[in-house]
Amino acid sequence: MTPGPRELLKDVGLRVTAPRIAVLDWLAEHPHATADSVAEGVRARLGSVSTQAVYDVLNACARTGLLRRIEPAGHPARYETRTGDNHHHLVCRVCGRTEDVDCVHGAAPCLEPSAAAGFAVDEAEVLFWGRCPDCRGTPKEQPA
Amino acid sequence: MTPGPRELLKDVGLRVTAPRIAVLDWLAEHPHATADSVAEGVRARLGSVSTQAVYDVLNACARTGLLRRIEPAGHPARYETRTGDNHHHLVCRVCGRTEDVDCVHGAAPCLEPSAAAGFAVDEAEVLFWGRCPDCRGTPKEQPA
DNA sequence: CATGCTTTCTGGAACGGGTCAAGAAAACGA
DNA sequence: TCGTTTTCTTGACCCGTTCCAGAAAGCATG
């Protein structure tokens, strides 16, 4: 079975605390949530958690690989528990809604730039921009 | 011959002003410059230009397609005059240095996500993350 | 189960890139 | 040349995020 938050935290050497468990649980149920909505969800469950605690947890988990952070230009960062398979994302320009996309070209296309210019490349990030079903009618503004 | 800034501006219906010409000229010579360094370059040439003027020019040109804006997560936005060919970018995690990369798979790979989830996709953005030659020795901090 | 060292959480201030707003100035069609 | 419209200036402001110091937990020992 899938390891729970406690095991995951221990595995990467992070302390097991209520805020961390709550954050991981919430994100497992709500992928691509923003820091803000994670904070909301965690507070609904634990009562009161500081903004910094949430950011600390998110950063610590992202650093140790428990979470992946997606930062679409012009939108707040989003987090997901699905890590390690380098899948891509579909982002709505209007509301920022984010969905997973498996790569078209099989396993890992686009992973090697033709000319690396001396760079040590360690990741290829692919983002598809568009409008989600809810925002297709909206020309440039926020949805209702 | 390549059209100059004046022609480009007129073509898209923007007024021809000194700040605009200076911004376009500067960017033609310094691709992938940040708003900040554009402002510096423009001021060196024109004497004094407000920050807003620079942002206005950059936004207006990006909106009309004269410029392309790249916003790497965790780094200030960068601008380039090479538009319309949907090439990709190589970004240094440490210093933010950005280089052009032509796509490996010929013309336009990765352009169609396998499942669009009802989204109207209009752009595929590919970013390669790594460390530039100058920052390869630097573990996690800014370069000297 | 106590103890004490370390990591984490709290609360509040601060930061940086970028935008908004009101008025002055410059572009350009008539 | 004039008048309308767009653009530039100055200055305040916003939002997501991070920094700081101190208080409060976690957890490896005795």
Side-chain angles (χ1 to χ4, degrees), chain A residues 71 73-74 90-93 99 101-102 104-105 110 112-114 116-133 136, chain B residues 71 73-74 90-93 99 101-102 104-105 110 112-133 136:
Chain A
E71 298 179 61
L90 193 51
V91 181
C92 175
R93 284 189 194 283
E99 299 291 340
V101 173
D102 292 303
V104 223
H105 298 255
C110 322
E112 294 174 31
S114 44
F119 278 54
V121 178
D122 59 46
E123 186 191 344
E125 181 185 1
V126 182
L127 236 56
F128 296 97
W129 289 94
R131 312 220 163 167
C132 73
R136 294 189 65 158
Chain B
E71 299 180 61
L90 193 50
V91 181
C92 175
R93 284 188 193 283
E99 299 291 340
V101 172
D102 292 304
V104 223
H105 298 255
C110 323
E112 293 176 30
S114 45
F119 278 54
V121 178
D122 59 49
E123 186 189 345
E125 181 184 0
V126 181
L127 238 54
F128 295 97
W129 288 94
R131 309 217 167 172
C132 74
R136 294 188 67 158

Short mmCIF file of all heavy atoms in Angstrom, two decimals, chain A residues 71 73-74 90-93 99 101-102 104-105 110 112-114 116-133 136, chain B residues 71 73-74 90-93 99 101-102 104-105 110 112-133 136:
data_model
loop_
_atom_site.label_atom_id
_atom_site.label_comp_id
_atom_site.label_asym_id
_atom_site.label_seq_id
_atom_site.Cartn_x
_atom_site.Cartn_y
_atom_site.Cartn_z
N GLU A 71 5.50 26.65 -10.69
CA GLU A 71 5.36 28.10 -10.57
C GLU A 71 5.03 28.71 -11.91
O GLU A 71 5.90 29.20 -12.61
CB GLU A 71 6.67 28.70 -10.04
CG GLU A 71 7.02 28.20 -8.67
CD GLU A 71 8.33 28.80 -8.16
OE1 GLU A 71 8.40 30.04 -8.01
OE2 GLU A 71 9.28 28.04 -7.92
N ALA A 73 4.13 31.35 -14.54
CA ALA A 73 4.34 32.80 -14.63
C ALA A 73 3.05 33.54 -14.37
O ALA A 73 2.02 33.25 -14.96
CB ALA A 73 4.88 33.15 -16.02
N GLY A 74 3.11 34.50 -13.46
CA GLY A 74 1.95 35.34 -13.21
C GLY A 74 0.92 34.74 -12.28
O GLY A 74 -0.12 35.33 -12.02
N LEU A 90 -0.73 21.58 -17.58
CA LEU A 90 -1.62 22.37 -18.41
C LEU A 90 -2.12 23.47 -17.47
O LEU A 90 -2.67 23.17 -16.42
CB LEU A 90 -2.78 21.44 -18.80
CG LEU A 90 -3.76 21.77 -19.87
CD1 LEU A 90 -3.05 22.17 -21.14
CD2 LEU A 90 -4.61 20.52 -20.13
N VAL A 91 -1.89 24.73 -17.84
CA VAL A 91 -2.26 25.81 -16.95
C VAL A 91 -3.23 26.78 -17.62
O VAL A 91 -3.02 27.16 -18.77
CB VAL A 91 -1.02 26.61 -16.49
CG1 VAL A 91 -1.39 27.73 -15.54
CG2 VAL A 91 -0.01 25.68 -15.84
N CYS A 92 -4.28 27.14 -16.89
CA CYS A 92 -5.25 28.11 -17.42
C CYS A 92 -4.70 29.51 -17.22
O CYS A 92 -4.37 29.90 -16.11
CB CYS A 92 -6.59 27.96 -16.72
SG CYS A 92 -7.77 29.24 -17.25
N ARG A 93 -4.61 30.27 -18.31
CA ARG A 93 -4.07 31.63 -18.24
C ARG A 93 -4.93 32.53 -17.38
O ARG A 93 -4.45 33.50 -16.81
CB ARG A 93 -4.06 32.26 -19.64
CG ARG A 93 -2.97 31.78 -20.54
CD ARG A 93 -2.92 32.64 -21.79
NE ARG A 93 -2.12 32.03 -22.83
CZ ARG A 93 -0.78 32.03 -22.83
NH1 ARG A 93 -0.14 32.63 -21.86
NH2 ARG A 93 -0.11 31.44 -23.80
N GLU A 99 -3.60 21.24 -14.45
CA GLU A 99 -3.90 19.82 -14.60
C GLU A 99 -2.65 19.08 -15.04
O GLU A 99 -1.78 19.65 -15.68
CB GLU A 99 -5.00 19.61 -15.65
CG GLU A 99 -6.33 20.29 -15.31
CD GLU A 99 -7.04 19.64 -14.13
OE1 GLU A 99 -6.72 18.48 -13.82
OE2 GLU A 99 -7.90 20.30 -13.53
N VAL A 101 -0.48 16.46 -17.24
CA VAL A 101 -0.46 16.01 -18.63
C VAL A 101 0.69 15.02 -18.78
O VAL A 101 1.81 15.31 -18.40
CB VAL A 101 -0.18 17.19 -19.59
CG1 VAL A 101 0.02 16.67 -21.01
CG2 VAL A 101 -1.30 18.19 -19.54
N ASP A 102 0.38 13.87 -19.31
CA ASP A 102 1.47 12.93 -19.57
C ASP A 102 2.07 13.29 -20.91
O ASP A 102 1.37 13.73 -21.81
CB ASP A 102 0.94 11.49 -19.57
CG ASP A 102 0.50 11.10 -18.17
OD1 ASP A 102 1.33 11.18 -17.27
OD2 ASP A 102 -0.69 10.78 -17.99
N VAL A 104 3.42 13.56 -24.54
CA VAL A 104 2.97 12.97 -25.79
C VAL A 104 3.93 11.92 -26.33
O VAL A 104 3.54 10.84 -26.71
CB VAL A 104 2.89 14.04 -26.90
CG1 VAL A 104 1.63 13.86 -27.69
CG2 VAL A 104 3.01 15.42 -26.33
N HIS A 105 5.19 12.30 -26.33
CA HIS A 105 6.18 11.45 -26.98
C HIS A 105 6.68 10.31 -26.11
O HIS A 105 7.87 10.12 -25.97
CB HIS A 105 7.37 12.30 -27.42
CG HIS A 105 6.97 13.32 -28.42
ND1 HIS A 105 7.25 13.23 -29.75
CD2 HIS A 105 6.27 14.48 -28.28
CE1 HIS A 105 6.78 14.27 -30.39
NE2 HIS A 105 6.19 15.05 -29.52
N CYS A 110 11.79 15.80 -25.41
CA CYS A 110 12.23 17.16 -25.11
C CYS A 110 13.19 17.20 -23.95
O CYS A 110 13.42 18.25 -23.39
CB CYS A 110 11.04 18.04 -24.72
SG CYS A 110 9.57 17.71 -25.65
N GLU A 112 16.40 16.52 -23.83
CA GLU A 112 17.76 16.96 -24.11
C GLU A 112 17.79 18.09 -25.10
O GLU A 112 17.48 17.90 -26.26
CB GLU A 112 18.57 15.78 -24.65
CG GLU A 112 18.76 14.69 -23.63
CD GLU A 112 19.42 13.48 -24.26
OE1 GLU A 112 20.21 13.68 -25.20
OE2 GLU A 112 19.13 12.35 -23.83
N PRO A 113 18.16 19.25 -24.62
CA PRO A 113 18.25 20.38 -25.53
C PRO A 113 19.33 20.09 -26.55
O PRO A 113 20.30 19.42 -26.27
CB PRO A 113 18.65 21.54 -24.62
CG PRO A 113 19.29 20.88 -23.44
CD PRO A 113 18.63 19.57 -23.28
N SER A 114 19.15 20.62 -27.75
CA SER A 114 20.12 20.34 -28.80
C SER A 114 21.50 20.90 -28.46
O SER A 114 22.50 20.23 -28.56
CB SER A 114 19.62 20.91 -30.12
OG SER A 114 19.11 22.21 -29.92
N ALA A 116 23.54 22.60 -25.35
CA ALA A 116 23.43 22.92 -23.93
C ALA A 116 24.26 24.12 -23.51
O ALA A 116 24.19 24.55 -22.37
CB ALA A 116 23.78 21.71 -23.09
N ALA A 117 25.04 24.67 -24.42
CA ALA A 117 25.81 25.88 -24.14
C ALA A 117 26.64 25.79 -22.86
O ALA A 117 26.81 26.77 -22.16
CB ALA A 117 24.87 27.09 -24.06
N GLY A 118 27.12 24.60 -22.56
CA GLY A 118 27.96 24.45 -21.38
C GLY A 118 27.19 24.32 -20.09
O GLY A 118 27.76 24.19 -19.02
N PHE A 119 25.87 24.37 -20.17
CA PHE A 119 25.05 24.24 -18.98
C PHE A 119 25.00 22.78 -18.52
O PHE A 119 25.03 21.87 -19.33
CB PHE A 119 23.60 24.67 -19.28
CG PHE A 119 23.37 26.15 -19.23
CD1 PHE A 119 24.15 27.03 -19.99
CD2 PHE A 119 22.35 26.68 -18.45
CE1 PHE A 119 23.90 28.40 -19.96
CE2 PHE A 119 22.10 28.05 -18.43
CZ PHE A 119 22.88 28.91 -19.18
N ALA A 120 24.89 22.59 -17.21
CA ALA A 120 24.64 21.26 -16.66
C ALA A 120 23.13 21.18 -16.45
O ALA A 120 22.61 21.66 -15.45
CB ALA A 120 25.38 21.08 -15.35
N VAL A 121 22.44 20.62 -17.42
CA VAL A 121 20.98 20.58 -17.38
C VAL A 121 20.49 19.46 -16.47
O VAL A 121 20.99 18.35 -16.52
CB VAL A 121 20.41 20.34 -18.79
CG1 VAL A 121 18.90 20.25 -18.75
CG2 VAL A 121 20.84 21.47 -19.71
N ASP A 122 19.56 19.76 -15.56
CA ASP A 122 19.07 18.70 -14.69
C ASP A 122 17.56 18.50 -14.75
O ASP A 122 17.01 17.61 -14.14
CB ASP A 122 19.50 18.96 -13.24
CG ASP A 122 18.99 20.29 -12.73
OD1 ASP A 122 17.82 20.60 -12.93
OD2 ASP A 122 19.80 21.04 -12.15
N GLU A 123 16.87 19.36 -15.47
CA GLU A 123 15.42 19.20 -15.55
C GLU A 123 14.86 19.87 -16.78
O GLU A 123 15.34 20.93 -17.20
CB GLU A 123 14.76 19.81 -14.31
CG GLU A 123 13.26 19.56 -14.24
CD GLU A 123 12.58 20.39 -13.15
OE1 GLU A 123 13.29 20.91 -12.27
OE2 GLU A 123 11.35 20.52 -13.20
N ALA A 124 13.85 19.24 -17.35
CA ALA A 124 13.14 19.85 -18.47
C ALA A 124 11.71 20.06 -18.01
O ALA A 124 11.05 19.14 -17.55
CB ALA A 124 13.18 18.95 -19.69
N GLU A 125 11.27 21.29 -18.11
CA GLU A 125 9.93 21.63 -17.64
C GLU A 125 9.07 21.98 -18.83
O GLU A 125 9.46 22.81 -19.64
CB GLU A 125 10.06 22.82 -16.69
CG GLU A 125 8.76 23.27 -16.10
CD GLU A 125 8.94 24.55 -15.26
OE1 GLU A 125 10.08 25.05 -15.19
OE2 GLU A 125 7.94 25.02 -14.72
N VAL A 126 7.91 21.35 -18.93
CA VAL A 126 7.02 21.64 -20.04
C VAL A 126 5.69 22.14 -19.50
O VAL A 126 5.07 21.49 -18.66
CB VAL A 126 6.78 20.40 -20.93
CG1 VAL A 126 5.89 20.75 -22.09
CG2 VAL A 126 8.10 19.83 -21.41
N LEU A 127 5.28 23.30 -19.98
CA LEU A 127 4.02 23.90 -19.55
C LEU A 127 3.16 24.19 -20.76
O LEU A 127 3.61 24.82 -21.72
CB LEU A 127 4.32 25.22 -18.85
CG LEU A 127 3.80 25.38 -17.43
CD1 LEU A 127 4.33 24.24 -16.59
CD2 LEU A 127 4.25 26.71 -16.86
N PHE A 128 1.91 23.74 -20.72
CA PHE A 128 0.98 24.06 -21.79
C PHE A 128 0.04 25.14 -21.29
O PHE A 128 -0.59 25.00 -20.24
CB PHE A 128 0.17 22.82 -22.17
CG PHE A 128 1.01 21.73 -22.75
CD1 PHE A 128 1.47 20.69 -21.96
CD2 PHE A 128 1.37 21.75 -24.09
CE1 PHE A 128 2.26 19.68 -22.48
CE2 PHE A 128 2.17 20.75 -24.63
CZ PHE A 128 2.61 19.72 -23.83
N TRP A 129 -0.01 26.24 -22.03
CA TRP A 129 -0.86 27.36 -21.62
C TRP A 129 -2.14 27.39 -22.44
O TRP A 129 -2.12 27.15 -23.63
CB TRP A 129 -0.11 28.68 -21.83
CG TRP A 129 1.00 28.89 -20.87
CD1 TRP A 129 2.31 28.58 -21.06
CD2 TRP A 129 0.92 29.46 -19.56
NE1 TRP A 129 3.04 28.93 -19.95
CE2 TRP A 129 2.21 29.48 -19.01
CE3 TRP A 129 -0.15 29.96 -18.79
CZ2 TRP A 129 2.48 29.96 -17.74
CZ3 TRP A 129 0.13 30.45 -17.53
CH2 TRP A 129 1.43 30.44 -17.02
N GLY A 130 -3.22 27.74 -21.77
CA GLY A 130 -4.48 27.83 -22.48
C GLY A 130 -5.57 28.34 -21.56
O GLY A 130 -5.29 29.08 -20.63
N ARG A 131 -6.81 27.95 -21.87
CA ARG A 131 -7.94 28.35 -21.02
C ARG A 131 -8.73 27.11 -20.64
O ARG A 131 -9.05 26.31 -21.51
CB ARG A 131 -8.87 29.28 -21.78
CG ARG A 131 -8.12 30.38 -22.47
CD ARG A 131 -8.86 31.65 -22.36
NE ARG A 131 -7.94 32.71 -22.66
CZ ARG A 131 -8.30 33.96 -22.91
NH1 ARG A 131 -9.59 34.24 -22.89
NH2 ARG A 131 -7.41 34.87 -23.13
N CYS A 132 -9.05 27.05 -19.38
CA CYS A 132 -9.80 25.90 -18.93
C CYS A 132 -11.25 26.05 -19.37
O CYS A 132 -11.67 27.14 -19.76
CB CYS A 132 -9.72 25.77 -17.41
SG CYS A 132 -10.68 26.99 -16.52
N PRO A 133 -12.02 24.98 -19.35
CA PRO A 133 -13.41 25.01 -19.79
C PRO A 133 -14.19 26.18 -19.18
O PRO A 133 -14.95 26.85 -19.87
CB PRO A 133 -13.95 23.67 -19.33
CG PRO A 133 -12.76 22.76 -19.34
CD PRO A 133 -11.60 23.62 -18.96
N ARG A 136 -13.11 29.64 -20.87
CA ARG A 136 -13.00 29.77 -22.33
C ARG A 136 -13.78 30.96 -22.86
O ARG A 136 -13.41 31.56 -23.85
CB ARG A 136 -13.45 28.49 -23.01
CG ARG A 136 -12.52 27.35 -22.69
CD ARG A 136 -12.82 26.15 -23.52
NE ARG A 136 -12.57 26.40 -24.92
CZ ARG A 136 -12.35 25.44 -25.80
NH1 ARG A 136 -12.35 24.19 -25.41
NH2 ARG A 136 -12.14 25.72 -27.06
N GLU B 71 9.38 34.06 -18.06
CA GLU B 71 9.32 34.24 -16.61
C GLU B 71 9.74 32.99 -15.89
O GLU B 71 8.90 32.20 -15.48
CB GLU B 71 7.90 34.64 -16.20
CG GLU B 71 7.46 35.94 -16.81
CD GLU B 71 6.04 36.33 -16.40
OE1 GLU B 71 5.80 36.51 -15.19
OE2 GLU B 71 5.17 36.42 -17.27
N ALA B 73 10.62 30.62 -12.98
CA ALA B 73 10.24 30.58 -11.57
C ALA B 73 11.40 31.03 -10.69
O ALA B 73 12.52 30.57 -10.84
CB ALA B 73 9.82 29.17 -11.19
N GLY B 74 11.12 31.96 -9.81
CA GLY B 74 12.14 32.39 -8.87
C GLY B 74 13.10 33.44 -9.40
O GLY B 74 14.01 33.87 -8.70
N LEU B 90 17.00 27.80 -21.89
CA LEU B 90 17.87 27.12 -20.96
C LEU B 90 18.12 28.16 -19.88
O LEU B 90 18.56 29.26 -20.16
CB LEU B 90 19.17 26.85 -21.73
CG LEU B 90 20.24 25.92 -21.24
CD1 LEU B 90 19.64 24.58 -20.82
CD2 LEU B 90 21.25 25.69 -22.37
N VAL B 91 17.78 27.83 -18.63
CA VAL B 91 17.90 28.82 -17.56
C VAL B 91 18.82 28.31 -16.45
O VAL B 91 18.70 27.16 -16.01
CB VAL B 91 16.52 29.14 -16.95
CG1 VAL B 91 16.65 30.18 -15.85
CG2 VAL B 91 15.56 29.60 -18.01
N CYS B 92 19.71 29.19 -16.00
CA CYS B 92 20.61 28.83 -14.90
C CYS B 92 19.86 29.02 -13.58
O CYS B 92 19.34 30.09 -13.31
CB CYS B 92 21.86 29.71 -14.93
SG CYS B 92 22.93 29.40 -13.49
N ARG B 93 19.83 27.97 -12.79
CA ARG B 93 19.12 28.04 -11.50
C ARG B 93 19.75 29.04 -10.57
O ARG B 93 19.08 29.61 -9.70
CB ARG B 93 19.20 26.68 -10.79
CG ARG B 93 18.31 25.62 -11.34
CD ARG B 93 18.33 24.40 -10.44
NE ARG B 93 17.73 23.25 -11.08
CZ ARG B 93 16.41 23.08 -11.22
NH1 ARG B 93 15.57 23.98 -10.76
NH2 ARG B 93 15.94 22.02 -11.84
N GLU B 99 19.48 31.25 -22.09
CA GLU B 99 19.98 31.07 -23.45
C GLU B 99 18.89 30.44 -24.32
O GLU B 99 18.05 29.71 -23.82
CB GLU B 99 21.21 30.15 -23.46
CG GLU B 99 22.39 30.68 -22.67
CD GLU B 99 23.02 31.91 -23.31
OE1 GLU B 99 22.82 32.14 -24.52
OE2 GLU B 99 23.73 32.64 -22.58
N VAL B 101 17.36 27.86 -27.04
CA VAL B 101 17.57 26.46 -27.41
C VAL B 101 16.59 26.13 -28.51
O VAL B 101 15.39 26.38 -28.38
CB VAL B 101 17.28 25.53 -26.22
CG1 VAL B 101 17.31 24.08 -26.68
CG2 VAL B 101 18.26 25.74 -25.10
N ASP B 102 17.09 25.59 -29.59
CA ASP B 102 16.17 25.15 -30.63
C ASP B 102 15.70 23.76 -30.28
O ASP B 102 16.45 22.97 -29.71
CB ASP B 102 16.86 25.17 -31.99
CG ASP B 102 17.16 26.60 -32.41
OD1 ASP B 102 16.22 27.39 -32.47
OD2 ASP B 102 18.35 26.91 -32.61
N VAL B 104 14.80 20.01 -29.98
CA VAL B 104 15.46 18.81 -30.46
C VAL B 104 14.69 18.12 -31.57
O VAL B 104 15.24 17.75 -32.59
CB VAL B 104 15.57 17.75 -29.34
CG1 VAL B 104 16.92 17.11 -29.37
CG2 VAL B 104 15.26 18.36 -27.99
N HIS B 105 13.41 17.99 -31.35
CA HIS B 105 12.60 17.21 -32.27
C HIS B 105 12.16 17.97 -33.51
O HIS B 105 11.01 17.93 -33.87
CB HIS B 105 11.36 16.68 -31.54
CG HIS B 105 11.71 15.77 -30.42
ND1 HIS B 105 11.55 14.41 -30.48
CD2 HIS B 105 12.24 16.02 -29.20
CE1 HIS B 105 11.95 13.86 -29.35
NE2 HIS B 105 12.37 14.82 -28.56
N CYS B 110 6.33 18.29 -28.66
CA CYS B 110 5.70 18.59 -27.38
C CYS B 110 4.59 19.59 -27.52
O CYS B 110 4.16 20.20 -26.55
CB CYS B 110 6.69 19.18 -26.39
SG CYS B 110 8.31 18.48 -26.48
N GLU B 112 1.50 19.24 -28.58
CA GLU B 112 0.15 18.82 -28.30
C GLU B 112 0.09 17.89 -27.11
O GLU B 112 0.55 16.77 -27.18
CB GLU B 112 -0.43 18.11 -29.51
CG GLU B 112 -0.61 19.06 -30.68
CD GLU B 112 -1.09 18.31 -31.92
OE1 GLU B 112 -1.79 17.29 -31.75
OE2 GLU B 112 -0.75 18.74 -33.02
N PRO B 113 -0.46 18.36 -26.02
CA PRO B 113 -0.58 17.51 -24.84
C PRO B 113 -1.47 16.34 -25.20
O PRO B 113 -2.38 16.47 -26.02
CB PRO B 113 -1.23 18.41 -23.81
CG PRO B 113 -1.95 19.44 -24.60
CD PRO B 113 -1.14 19.65 -25.83
N SER B 114 -1.23 15.20 -24.58
CA SER B 114 -2.01 14.01 -24.91
C SER B 114 -3.48 14.20 -24.56
O SER B 114 -4.36 13.94 -25.35
CB SER B 114 -1.43 12.80 -24.18
OG SER B 114 -1.16 13.14 -22.83
N ALA B 115 -3.75 14.69 -23.37
CA ALA B 115 -5.14 14.92 -22.98
C ALA B 115 -5.30 16.38 -22.61
O ALA B 115 -4.66 16.86 -21.68
CB ALA B 115 -5.49 14.04 -21.78
N ALA B 116 -6.12 17.10 -23.32
CA ALA B 116 -6.20 18.53 -23.10
C ALA B 116 -7.22 18.91 -22.03
O ALA B 116 -7.33 20.05 -21.66
CB ALA B 116 -6.50 19.26 -24.39
N ALA B 117 -7.96 17.95 -21.52
CA ALA B 117 -8.90 18.18 -20.42
C ALA B 117 -9.85 19.34 -20.69
O ALA B 117 -10.24 20.06 -19.78
CB ALA B 117 -8.13 18.42 -19.12
N GLY B 118 -10.21 19.52 -21.95
CA GLY B 118 -11.15 20.58 -22.27
C GLY B 118 -10.53 21.95 -22.38
O GLY B 118 -11.20 22.94 -22.65
N PHE B 119 -9.22 22.03 -22.18
CA PHE B 119 -8.53 23.32 -22.27
C PHE B 119 -8.35 23.71 -23.73
O PHE B 119 -8.17 22.86 -24.59
CB PHE B 119 -7.13 23.22 -21.65
CG PHE B 119 -7.10 23.35 -20.15
CD1 PHE B 119 -7.89 22.54 -19.34
CD2 PHE B 119 -6.26 24.28 -19.54
CE1 PHE B 119 -7.84 22.64 -17.96
CE2 PHE B 119 -6.21 24.39 -18.15
CZ PHE B 119 -6.99 23.57 -17.36
N ALA B 120 -8.38 25.02 -23.99
CA ALA B 120 -8.03 25.52 -25.31
C ALA B 120 -6.56 25.92 -25.22
O ALA B 120 -6.23 27.00 -24.76
CB ALA B 120 -8.89 26.73 -25.66
N VAL B 121 -5.70 25.03 -25.63
CA VAL B 121 -4.26 25.25 -25.50
C VAL B 121 -3.74 26.18 -26.60
O VAL B 121 -4.08 26.01 -27.75
CB VAL B 121 -3.51 23.91 -25.58
CG1 VAL B 121 -2.00 24.14 -25.51
CG2 VAL B 121 -3.94 22.99 -24.46
N ASP B 122 -2.97 27.19 -26.24
CA ASP B 122 -2.45 28.07 -27.28
C ASP B 122 -0.93 28.19 -27.28
O ASP B 122 -0.36 28.81 -28.15
CB ASP B 122 -3.07 29.47 -27.15
CG ASP B 122 -2.80 30.08 -25.80
OD1 ASP B 122 -1.65 30.08 -25.36
OD2 ASP B 122 -3.77 30.57 -25.17
N GLU B 123 -0.28 27.58 -26.30
CA GLU B 123 1.18 27.68 -26.29
C GLU B 123 1.79 26.55 -25.49
O GLU B 123 1.25 26.12 -24.48
CB GLU B 123 1.60 29.02 -25.65
CG GLU B 123 3.10 29.25 -25.72
CD GLU B 123 3.54 30.46 -24.89
OE1 GLU B 123 2.67 31.26 -24.50
OE2 GLU B 123 4.76 30.58 -24.64
N ALA B 124 2.94 26.08 -25.95
CA ALA B 124 3.69 25.08 -25.20
C ALA B 124 5.02 25.73 -24.85
O ALA B 124 5.72 26.24 -25.70
CB ALA B 124 3.91 23.84 -26.04
N GLU B 125 5.30 25.73 -23.57
CA GLU B 125 6.51 26.39 -23.11
C GLU B 125 7.47 25.33 -22.58
O GLU B 125 7.10 24.51 -21.75
CB GLU B 125 6.12 27.35 -21.97
CG GLU B 125 7.27 28.13 -21.40
CD GLU B 125 6.82 28.99 -20.22
OE1 GLU B 125 5.63 28.96 -19.86
OE2 GLU B 125 7.69 29.67 -19.66
N VAL B 126 8.68 25.35 -23.05
CA VAL B 126 9.67 24.36 -22.59
C VAL B 126 10.85 25.08 -21.97
O VAL B 126 11.44 25.98 -22.59
CB VAL B 126 10.15 23.47 -23.75
CG1 VAL B 126 11.14 22.43 -23.23
CG2 VAL B 126 8.97 22.78 -24.42
N LEU B 127 11.17 24.71 -20.75
CA LEU B 127 12.28 25.33 -20.03
C LEU B 127 13.24 24.25 -19.57
O LEU B 127 12.84 23.29 -18.94
CB LEU B 127 11.75 26.05 -18.80
CG LEU B 127 12.04 27.54 -18.68
CD1 LEU B 127 11.57 28.24 -19.93
CD2 LEU B 127 11.35 28.12 -17.47
N PHE B 128 14.51 24.45 -19.88
CA PHE B 128 15.53 23.52 -19.39
C PHE B 128 16.25 24.18 -18.23
O PHE B 128 16.76 25.30 -18.37
CB PHE B 128 16.53 23.19 -20.50
CG PHE B 128 15.91 22.45 -21.65
CD1 PHE B 128 15.49 23.13 -22.79
CD2 PHE B 128 15.72 21.08 -21.59
CE1 PHE B 128 14.90 22.45 -23.84
CE2 PHE B 128 15.12 20.39 -22.64
CZ PHE B 128 14.72 21.08 -23.77
N TRP B 129 16.26 23.50 -17.08
CA TRP B 129 16.90 24.07 -15.90
C TRP B 129 18.26 23.43 -15.66
O TRP B 129 18.41 22.22 -15.84
CB TRP B 129 16.04 23.82 -14.67
CG TRP B 129 14.80 24.64 -14.65
CD1 TRP B 129 13.57 24.26 -15.11
CD2 TRP B 129 14.65 25.98 -14.16
NE1 TRP B 129 12.67 25.28 -14.91
CE2 TRP B 129 13.31 26.34 -14.34
CE3 TRP B 129 15.53 26.90 -13.58
CZ2 TRP B 129 12.81 27.59 -13.96
CZ3 TRP B 129 15.04 28.14 -13.21
CH2 TRP B 129 13.70 28.48 -13.40
N GLY B 130 19.21 24.24 -15.24
CA GLY B 130 20.54 23.70 -14.95
C GLY B 130 21.43 24.78 -14.37
O GLY B 130 20.94 25.70 -13.73
N ARG B 131 22.72 24.64 -14.62
CA ARG B 131 23.67 25.63 -14.13
C ARG B 131 24.56 26.05 -15.28
O ARG B 131 25.08 25.20 -16.00
CB ARG B 131 24.56 25.03 -13.06
CG ARG B 131 23.73 24.37 -12.01
CD ARG B 131 24.34 24.56 -10.67
NE ARG B 131 23.33 24.17 -9.70
CZ ARG B 131 23.58 24.07 -8.41
NH1 ARG B 131 24.79 24.33 -7.99
NH2 ARG B 131 22.62 23.74 -7.59
N CYS B 132 24.74 27.34 -15.40
CA CYS B 132 25.57 27.83 -16.48
C CYS B 132 27.04 27.57 -16.12
O CYS B 132 27.36 27.30 -14.97
CB CYS B 132 25.30 29.32 -16.70
SG CYS B 132 25.98 30.38 -15.43
N PRO B 133 27.91 27.65 -17.09
CA PRO B 133 29.34 27.40 -16.86
C PRO B 133 29.89 28.17 -15.67
O PRO B 133 30.63 27.61 -14.87
CB PRO B 133 29.98 27.86 -18.16
CG PRO B 133 28.93 27.65 -19.20
CD PRO B 133 27.62 27.92 -18.51
N ARG B 136 28.57 26.50 -12.27
CA ARG B 136 28.64 25.05 -12.04
C ARG B 136 29.32 24.69 -10.74
O ARG B 136 28.99 23.68 -10.12
CB ARG B 136 29.33 24.38 -13.21
CG ARG B 136 28.51 24.51 -14.47
CD ARG B 136 29.09 23.69 -15.57
NE ARG B 136 28.97 22.28 -15.28
CZ ARG B 136 28.99 21.33 -16.21
NH1 ARG B 136 29.10 21.67 -17.47
NH2 ARG B 136 28.90 20.07 -15.88
#
